[in-house]
Amino acid sequence: LEYHIKDVFIPVLIGKLHVSEQLRKIFALPARMGGLSIANICQTAELEYGNSILATEDLTNAIYDQESLYNVDDTKQSGIKKNRQDFYDAYKSELEKELSPLVQHQLELLSEKGASSWLTPLPLKEYGFLLNKQEFQDAISLRYNLTLSSLNRPTLCVCGAPSTINHCLTCKLGGYISLRHDSLKSTIAKLIEQVCKDTVLEPSLIPVTTEQLQRGTDVSDGARLDVSTRGFWTPLDRAFTDIRVLHPQAQSNANTSLFQMYRRHETEKKNK
């Protein structure tokens, strides 16, 4: 069964001809830990057998004692959850020893809160969670930094460089930087206007005349932020939101931790 999962099912699912042993081990992790929740049953069989015995212990005892009613011990469900968490914590720790620094960095990104939220919900079209075949396979390629299929897409960027994932997300000529930023900006604005009033995209800021502002502040005429709204923090007050999207796998971030990336971009936005 594991042979067919690795060599038949997963390649068809993600649109690849071959799945490496390392990638298979990563896919076995829960989605919240950077995997796809496609467990390797050869490794989890003993764990899940023990969990099954624990989950049905009360029922088994009730049947054995010929009792018409039995009480369910809710603490056992917590015990099963803890057993799984302990198993995958140990599994991930061992796996990280085999990974290169680049792959470890990618796995850390995928373990961030919310990074796998698109994988676990129901595929509801209304909320944008319904993906067609190519969209899903492209999303998996982006998630694990794999080579995208060349079907119906150019192999070269407009700048002439190969159209790889890392290049597309950092090239200032390709357009993807602006597309990612504007998409997030529009999404945030739509969410804010559900609870706040007077939500405006790219509002103009008050012109700067003789004011002395900190170094790095944009004082040019026509300066704008991404979103403004009223009542976000306090009633009737106007709050401004500026959006920034980063690519953690860019060459400039190769030796930078996630915390350092977030802190740097946060500081630059505040100084703006």
Side-chain angles (χ1 to χ4, degrees), residues 8-239:
V8 180
F9 172 69
I10 295 179
V12 172
L13 180 69
I14 67 175
K16 306 297 179 186
L17 295 176
H18 173 70
V19 175
S20 67
E21 288 293 336
Q22 184 181 97
L23 201 56
R24 174 65 185 101
K25 292 179 180 179
I26 294 174
F27 287 171
L29 287 167
R32 69 180 183 280
M33 299 177 76
L36 290 181
S37 297
I38 305 177
N40 184 333
I41 58 175
C42 297
Q43 298 172 337
T44 61
E46 184 176 351
L47 169 71
E48 295 303 336
Y49 177 67
N51 288 337
S52 176
I53 292 176
L54 185 61
T56 59
E57 184 178 17
D58 293 330
L59 178 60
T60 302
N61 291 336
I63 294 173
Y64 182 80
D65 297 333
Q66 294 295 293
E67 297 177 358
S68 58
L69 297 174
Y70 73 97
N71 295 321
V72 177
D73 187 355
D74 294 333
T75 60
K76 292 183 178 180
Q77 186 63 36
S78 301
I80 292 173
K81 186 176 181 180
K82 184 179 184 303
N83 290 342
R84 290 195 179 118
Q85 185 63 47
D86 292 344
F87 172 84
Y88 282 112
D89 284 342
Y91 178 87
K92 186 177 181 181
S93 296
E94 289 298 317
L95 176 60
E96 287 176 338
K97 297 177 183 178
E98 306 174 11
L99 305 179
S100 66
L102 183 64
V103 180
Q104 287 184 27
H105 190 50
Q106 184 73 15
L107 197 59
E108 183 184 6
L109 292 170
L110 300 180
S111 301
E112 286 282 279
K113 185 176 181 179
S116 303
S117 58
W118 65 276
L119 269 173
T120 53
L122 294 174
L124 301 176
K125 185 176 182 180
E126 179 182 1
Y127 299 104
F129 293 135
L130 181 61
L131 305 179
N132 62 35
K133 177 181 177 180
Q134 183 170 346
E135 289 172 338
F136 179 80
Q137 293 177 350
D138 286 349
I140 294 296
S141 296
L142 289 168
R143 178 175 171 84
Y144 295 104
N145 203 22
L146 305 176
T147 303
L148 287 169
S149 168
S150 60
L151 181 66
N152 298 325
R153 66 167 54 90
T155 57
L156 296 177
C157 178
V158 293
C159 70
S163 187
T164 63
I165 292 176
N166 284 332
H167 177 79
C168 289
L169 297 181
T170 55
C171 179
K172 296 182 179 180
L173 295 179
Y176 287 103
I177 294 177
S178 297
L179 286 172
R180 295 172 73 206
H181 175 273
D182 292 347
S183 175
L184 183 58
K185 176 184 67 178
S186 299
T187 300
I188 290 177
K190 290 179 181 178
L191 293 173
I192 290 177
E193 67 182 359
Q194 293 181 20
V195 293
C196 297
K197 302 294 184 182
D198 192 22
T199 301
V200 180
L201 284 173
E202 298 188 0
S204 298
L205 300 179
I206 298 174
V208 177
T209 53
T210 59
E211 295 86 356
Q212 297 296 319
L213 302 177
Q214 61 185 353
R215 185 178 180 181
T217 303
D218 186 358
V219 297
S220 60
D221 291 339
R224 298 171 179 267
L225 287 178
D226 290 320
V227 183
S228 73
T229 190
R230 291 192 183 276
F232 189 83
W233 299 113
T234 56
L236 300 181
D237 278 352
R238 196 177 187 192

